[in-house]
């Protein structure tokens, strides 16, 4: 019931390096903030599921169909978190500070995701306990966070990866 009342975000574009044009396959997402965690639901429309699944493997995420979330609790680009995952179990989480110049190690947050493959789309639900953002002092958290969702789309039909983004 909570998802039904959550705002739907769309309007992804290709990254500027690919012309910043509208994308052929839309992506939608919703954010559901709770008292101690954040849920994100993402739906990726796909008219060529067979081609997409043929180009998705349990290998390096950057070579497959995947999603990335960049989250900055401070509301600025000084420090931010990156969460990456694909259709399989491979996933990564990173924390960057000083606009990416510092990557403290190790960063091993608790976060969960589940992926579903439908007939003409694939979707994911993510759960981020607020403790996942422990590298940033909550004294520095803003009431408006920066949020970016990226989708790497690779289908057999044209053989190259398209990079979509919403910020």
């Amino acid at each position: 019931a909570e998802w039904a009342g959550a705002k739907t975000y769309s309007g992804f574009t290709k990254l500027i390096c690919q012309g910043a044009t509208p994308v052929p396959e839309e992506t939608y997402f919703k954010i559901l903030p709770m008292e101690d965690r954040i849920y994100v639901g993402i739906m990726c429309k796909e008219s060529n599921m067979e081609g997409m699944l043929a180009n998705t493997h349990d290998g390096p995420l950057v070579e497959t169909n995947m999603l990335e979330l960049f989250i900055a609790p401070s509301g600025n680009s000084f420090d931010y978190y990156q969460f990456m995952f694909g259709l399989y179990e491979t996933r990564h989480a990173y924390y960057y500070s000083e606009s990416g110049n510092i990557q403290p190690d190790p960063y091993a947050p608790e976060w969960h995701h589940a992926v579903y493959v439908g007939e003409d789309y694939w979707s994911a639900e993510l759960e981020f306990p607020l403790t996942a953002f422990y590298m940033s002092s909550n004294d520095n958290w803003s009431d408006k966070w920066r949020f970016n969702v990226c989708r790497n789309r690779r289908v057999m039909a044209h053989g190259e990866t398209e990079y979509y983004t919403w910020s």
Side-chain angles (χ1 to χ4, degrees):
E2 288 88 0
W3 284 119
K7 179 179 178 180
T8 300
Y9 297 90
S10 63
F12 282 65
T13 59
K14 288 186 180 179
L15 285 179
I16 291 193
C17 66
Q18 292 191 324
T21 59
V23 296
E25 298 285 351
E26 189 57 78
T27 304
Y28 307 91
F29 70 94
K30 294 181 176 191
I31 303 170
L32 190 59
M34 302 301 253
E35 184 174 325
D36 64 344
R37 61 197 63 245
I38 300 168
Y39 294 96
V40 179
I42 306 171
M43 183 193 331
C44 304
K45 297 297 285 181
E46 182 54 63
S47 58
N48 185 359
M49 285 301 292
E50 184 177 309
M52 188 204 80
L53 292 171
N55 279 290
T56 299
H57 50 83
D58 194 12
L61 279 177
V62 294
E63 296 177 6
T64 186
N65 290 283
M66 61 167 277
L67 292 166
E68 295 177 87
L69 282 78
F70 295 87
I71 303 173
S74 64
N76 63 51
S77 58
F78 183 80
D79 64 327
Y80 59 92
Y81 298 82
Q82 177 185 18
F83 300 91
M84 306 167 53
F85 65 95
L87 295 178
Y88 298 103
E89 294 300 316
T90 305
R91 68 185 200 152
H92 301 286
Y94 302 98
Y95 170 76
Y96 302 94
S97 188
E98 293 187 12
S99 301
N101 293 320
I102 295 176
Q103 300 176 27
D105 201 16
Y107 171 61
E110 174 189 348
W111 65 291
H112 307 279
H113 80 287
V115 175
Y116 174 80
V117 176
E119 188 175 311
D120 63 349
Y121 72 96
W122 66 286
S123 63
E125 281 192 24
L126 299 101
E127 176 189 38
F128 300 102
L130 293 182
T131 57
F133 306 104
Y134 65 83
M135 298 297 283
S136 304
S137 167
N138 59 2
D139 292 342
N140 295 327
W141 288 8
S142 172
D143 60 345
K144 293 185 180 176
W145 293 19
R146 284 187 183 234
F147 195 84
N148 182 271
V149 179
C150 298
R151 174 184 175 187
N152 292 6
R153 180 178 177 258
R154 184 179 189 131
V155 295
M156 193 177 295
H158 51 75
E160 66 181 50
T161 303
E162 296 176 335
Y163 302 99
Y164 303 174
T165 185
W166 182 97
S167 181

